[in-house]
């Protein structure tokens, strides 16, 4: 059943104002457009945006929407691109959770409680004051992306080599259901695992089961020992074997790789002239000693940007240890493991990521100001090389159309534990910028970017490429994070598992008002 707005915009507005106050409700057209546009494209226009700053206000606004029978869609950092917070019919109430940004650090009990709108960058800064961190500590988009958004759609990157994805670093949550009632997902404050894992149910739900109001994460000590290593590979099969062997050895804190196309384009832009001074200053500040900082800077300067073009595929590892000796021992072991597959190259890229883990979101545009959308699949190791070959054939078949339309693609890779290989494809095409780009990016940065006219032909071609690529991933049995409305889930479940998922949705949201269509439920 589709949720349809039952009230005129005026009536709905006054009911929401009564629930949360005038300052927390907006119907301003530019804000509605911005909040209804993700990194990829625009969805249906919300009737109103509500920005609660307390859990009580969040519950009151949800109750008002429930009484009116209006669809509710949660958004936190807004840095996703899988239609997770886009509701095509429009007329919904969009919950901007960015105002729920409280952080309570409980050092004796080793827990931090975050509002869903806390960005990973803000959390890291706060925890650094007490020498602590969370095991998973954010995606690369963490300057903007939040704890609530990442836990809702399964995120990966910082800390993932050692501690897994966002969902694996959650102790418990408070979630506001479609009725406005609050559920706490664990009966224990000390552990998540007290009977069946109800916390896990709400991880990766893309907001289909409720709006997260608080998330409790475990705390661990920050470690001083650090090493950064990079390797280049000429053959995809040896590249994949190297990443698989490293993942099995479970040595790194995090790892990621890029192909030559992406390295020359997107990532190279990060190391552009404007950023270099800042990186140098950050490096010196972050280095355990001034001498070590100078040594690293000299290494980066010698390597230059050539390091980023050293092979067809380059993989980067960030390694931690309780002290320098442990980190060095791990680095030695990793070098031994990589030697049969590729060659070591200067470590300027992981050095850069170490000093600036949450870079400004300039990558939401391509190196020449093009539009950008990534998609990914998590493959079993035995399928990775065959998928890569099929992808090459896929591009070859479409080469003339892609060239004619100015569409190009690059690859990014990450191990997901020892059993999964994340193969990400980034698509670029010349097209007009959206409200998302205009609102998210710095005006000075935008002023320097080439501007393209609206390009509906290339845009439609990219949309078709996306659909066909998701089908290709599916053929190779890929799983996905960040499902939103872009990736299939239910067709991949067996009948019993699907029936259970549908029954859970019906129990928590019988009228299908909460993010209808996310995860393929209702909508
Ligand atoms: C430049 C760039 C780099 C990126 N790097 C990474 C990376 O390294 N790793 C990675 O995994 N991803 C990456 N991403 C994708 C994305 O930013 C992350 O997955 C991030 O976790 C999204 O968090 P967010 O707060 O922006 O979520 P949003 O975009 O706000 O929302 C994501 C989903 O969660 C739901 N949601 C949001 N808030 C709530 C809530 N309070 N309760 C319930 N549901 C909610 C939304 O409805 C939506 O379905 C990157 C994106 C960009 C633009």
């Amino acid at each position: 059943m589709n949720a349809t707005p039952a009230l005129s915009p005026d009536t709905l507005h006054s009911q929401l104002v009564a629930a949360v106050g005038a300052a927390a409700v907006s119907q301003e057209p530019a804000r509605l457009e911005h909040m209804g546009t993700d990194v990829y494209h625009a969805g249906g226009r919300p009737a109103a945006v509500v920005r609660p700053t307390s859990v009580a206000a969040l519950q009151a606004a949800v109750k008002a929407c429930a009484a009116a029978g209006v669809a509710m869609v949660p958004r936190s950092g807004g840095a996703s691109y899988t239609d997770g917070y886009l509701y095509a019919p429009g007329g919904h109430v969009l919950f901007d959770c960015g105002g729920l940004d409280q952080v309570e650090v409980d050092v004796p009990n080793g827990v931090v409680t975050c509002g869903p709108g806390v960005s990973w960058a803000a959390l890291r800064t706060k925890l650094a004051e007490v020498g602590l961190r969370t095991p998973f500590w954010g995606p690369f988009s963490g300057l903007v992306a939040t704890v609530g958004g990442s836990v809702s759609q399964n995120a990966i990157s910082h800390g993932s080599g050692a501690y897994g994805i966002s969902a694996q670093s959650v102790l418990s949550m408070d979630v506001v259901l479609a009725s406005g009632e609050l559920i706490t997902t664990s009966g224990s404050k000390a552990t998540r695992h007290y009977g069946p894992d109800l916390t896990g149910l709400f991880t990766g739900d893309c907001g289909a089961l409720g709006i997260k109001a608080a998330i409790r994460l475990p705390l661990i000590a920050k470690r001083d020992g650090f090493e950064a290593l990079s390797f280049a590979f000429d053959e995809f099969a040896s590249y994949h074997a190297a990443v698989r062997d490293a993942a099995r050895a479970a040595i790194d804190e995090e790892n990621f790789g890029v192909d030559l196309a992406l390295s020359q384009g997107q990532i190279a832009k990060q190391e552009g002239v404007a950023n270099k001074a800042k990186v140098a200053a950050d490096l010196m500040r972050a280095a355990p000693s001034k001498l070590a900082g100078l040594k690293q800077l000299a290494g980066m300067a010698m390597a230059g940007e050539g390091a980023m073009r050293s092979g067809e595929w380059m993989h980067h590892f960030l390694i931690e240890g309780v002290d320098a000796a442990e980190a060095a021992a791990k680095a030695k072991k990793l070098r031994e493991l990589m030697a049969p597959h590729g060659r070591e190259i200067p470590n300027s890229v992981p050095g850069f990521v170490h000093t600036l883990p949450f870079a400004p979101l300039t990558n939401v545009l391509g190196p020449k100001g093009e539009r950008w959308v990534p998609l990914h699949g998590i493959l079993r190791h035995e399928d990775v090389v065959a998928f890569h070959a099929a992808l090459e054939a896929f591009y070859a078949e479409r080469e003339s159309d892609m060239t004619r339309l100015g569409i190009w693609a690059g690859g990014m890779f990450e191990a997901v534990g020892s059993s999964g290989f994340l193969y990400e494809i980034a698509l670029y095409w010349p097209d007009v910028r959206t409200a998302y780009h205009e609102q998210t990016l710095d005006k000075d940065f935008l002023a320097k970017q080439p501007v393209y006219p609206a390009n509906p032909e290339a845009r439609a071609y990219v949309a078709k490429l996306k659909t066909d690529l998701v089908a290709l991933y599916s053929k190779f049995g890929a799983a996905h994070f960040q499902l939103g409305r872009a990736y299939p889930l239910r067709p991949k479940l067996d009948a019993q598992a699907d029936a259970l998922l549908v029954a859970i949705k019906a129990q928590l949201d019988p009228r299908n008002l909460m993010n209808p269509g996310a995860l393929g439920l209702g909508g």
Side-chain angles (χ1 to χ4, degrees):
M1 179 185 74
N2 259 351
T4 45
L7 296 176
S8 76
D10 283 352
T11 319
L12 180 62
H13 182 259
S14 51
Q15 294 205 350
L16 290 171
V17 168
V20 296
V25 184
S26 172
Q27 288 186 303
E28 207 250 308
R31 183 152 166 76
L32 297 181
E33 186 184 354
H34 172 212
M35 290 283 123
T37 306
D38 73 5
V39 177
Y40 171 43
H41 65 174
R45 181 75 62 95
V49 173
V50 179
R51 187 177 165 92
T53 52
S54 71
V55 176
L58 170 63
Q59 286 184 270
V62 169
K63 281 180 185 160
C65 292
V70 176
M72 297 168 255
V73 175
R75 178 193 196 273
S76 285
S80 59
Y81 29 67
T82 54
D83 298 19
Y85 62 84
L86 304 186
Y87 179 58
H92 53 292
V93 172
L94 188 133
F95 281 75
D96 171 7
C97 299
L100 294 161
D101 58 355
Q102 303 80 358
V103 180
E104 277 171 42
V105 187
D106 179 353
V107 176
N109 287 309
V111 178
V112 59
T113 304
C114 305
V118 175
S119 75
W120 289 100
L123 181 61
R124 178 174 155 83
T125 304
K126 180 90 179 168
L127 294 178
E129 288 167 12
V130 286
L132 295 172
R133 52 168 279 199
T134 53
F136 170 82
W137 54 277
F140 295 128
S141 51
L143 201 61
V144 171
T146 63
V147 176
S150 300
V151 168
S152 297
Q153 65 165 17
N154 290 333
I156 191 164
S157 284
H158 295 311
S160 288
Y163 300 102
I165 69 167
S166 52
Q168 288 165 271
S169 282
V170 181
L171 286 172
S172 66
M173 292 185 263
D174 297 337
V175 182
V176 176
L177 302 178
S179 60
E181 289 164 316
L182 195 73
I183 181 176
T184 297
T185 60
S186 173
S188 165
K189 289 195 163 53
T191 174
R192 165 166 165 181
H193 300 289
Y194 186 18
D197 183 8
L198 295 180
T199 302
L201 187 59
F202 291 87
T203 61
D205 74 339
C206 296
L209 302 182
I211 303 183
K212 287 165 191 72
I215 301 114
R216 284 171 281 276
L217 310 171
L219 294 173
I220 57 174
K222 284 188 78 167
R223 284 168 300 203
D224 293 334
F226 176 75
E227 293 273 346
L229 272 73
S230 297
F231 300 88
F233 308 86
D234 298 324
E235 301 291 334
F236 186 79
S238 28
Y239 170 52
H240 163 252
V243 175
R244 182 201 57 206
D245 290 357
R248 196 173 291 156
I251 286 174
D252 63 275
E253 179 71 13
E254 70 187 72
N255 70 87
F256 60 93
V258 285
D259 67 7
L260 194 57
L262 255 206
S263 187
Q264 283 179 329
Q266 259 327 59
I267 310 291
K269 191 176 65 171
Q270 292 274 34
E271 286 217 326
V273 182
N275 267 328
K276 278 200 171 115
K278 173 153 177 37
V279 173
D282 286 344
L283 254 180
M284 290 306 286
R285 266 199 297 278
S289 74
K290 287 275 174 288
L291 190 65
L294 281 173
K295 226 174 107 188
Q296 201 171 351
L297 268 185
M300 281 176 69
M302 298 243 316
E305 290 175 9
M308 302 171 80
R309 299 179 182 86
S310 324
E312 286 296 320
W313 293 273
M314 285 144 281
H315 209 79
H316 310 288
F317 296 91
L318 287 86
I319 291 174
E320 288 192 356
V322 287
D323 55 18
E326 191 195 7
K330 286 179 174 176
K332 180 170 174 287
K333 181 70 192 166
L334 187 62
R335 283 190 177 101
E336 286 166 16
L337 285 170
M338 295 299 95
H341 306 296
R343 59 190 174 280
E344 189 164 359
I345 58 173
N347 63 0
S348 51
V349 173
F352 178 89
V353 170
H354 183 57
T355 54
L356 209 63
F358 301 122
L361 259 64
T362 52
N363 283 352
V364 296
L365 290 175
K368 293 188 182 129
E370 308 98 316
R371 290 276 291 280
W372 168 73
V373 66
L375 62 166
H376 73 276
I378 301 140
L379 296 154
R380 285 190 312 175
H381 286 296
E382 70 179 25
D383 295 319
V384 172
V385 174
F387 173 81
H388 177 73
L391 182 63
E392 301 263 271
F394 179 98
Y395 289 145
E397 271 171 35
R398 292 157 178 82
E399 192 182 355
S400 63
D401 281 339
M402 288 174 69
T403 307
R404 175 175 60 81
L405 294 166
I407 300 169
W408 63 280
M412 190 160 173
F413 315 92
E414 211 165 318
V416 180
S418 58
S419 56
F421 182 91
L422 186 143
Y423 196 124
E424 180 164 301
I425 297 165
L427 297 173
Y428 299 88
W429 75 104
D431 198 354
V432 68
R433 298 196 295 245
T434 69
Y436 182 87
H437 306 110
E438 301 302 333
Q439 295 296 323
T440 309
L441 295 168
D442 184 73
K443 297 277 169 273
D444 291 343
F445 171 79
L446 281 177
K448 291 187 200 116
Q449 301 307 305
V451 174
Y452 301 96
N455 190 344
E457 191 186 357
R459 198 181 311 156
Y461 197 89
V462 167
K464 174 81 169 77
L465 279 181
K466 277 190 69 196
T467 307
D468 293 348
L469 284 167
V470 171
L472 187 68
Y473 277 123
S474 200
K475 212 169 131 192
F476 286 85
H480 306 278
F481 296 142
Q482 320 177 354
L483 301 179
R485 293 170 175 80
Y487 294 112
L489 169 64
R490 295 185 52 200
K492 302 290 171 183
L493 298 174
D494 68 33
Q496 291 305 321
D498 185 46
L500 178 63
L501 182 68
V502 170
I504 289 167
K505 171 76 172 171
Q507 165 72 26
L508 299 178
D509 179 17
R511 288 190 294 155
N512 191 32
L513 294 177
M514 188 54 73
N515 213 2
L519 303 188
L521 291 165

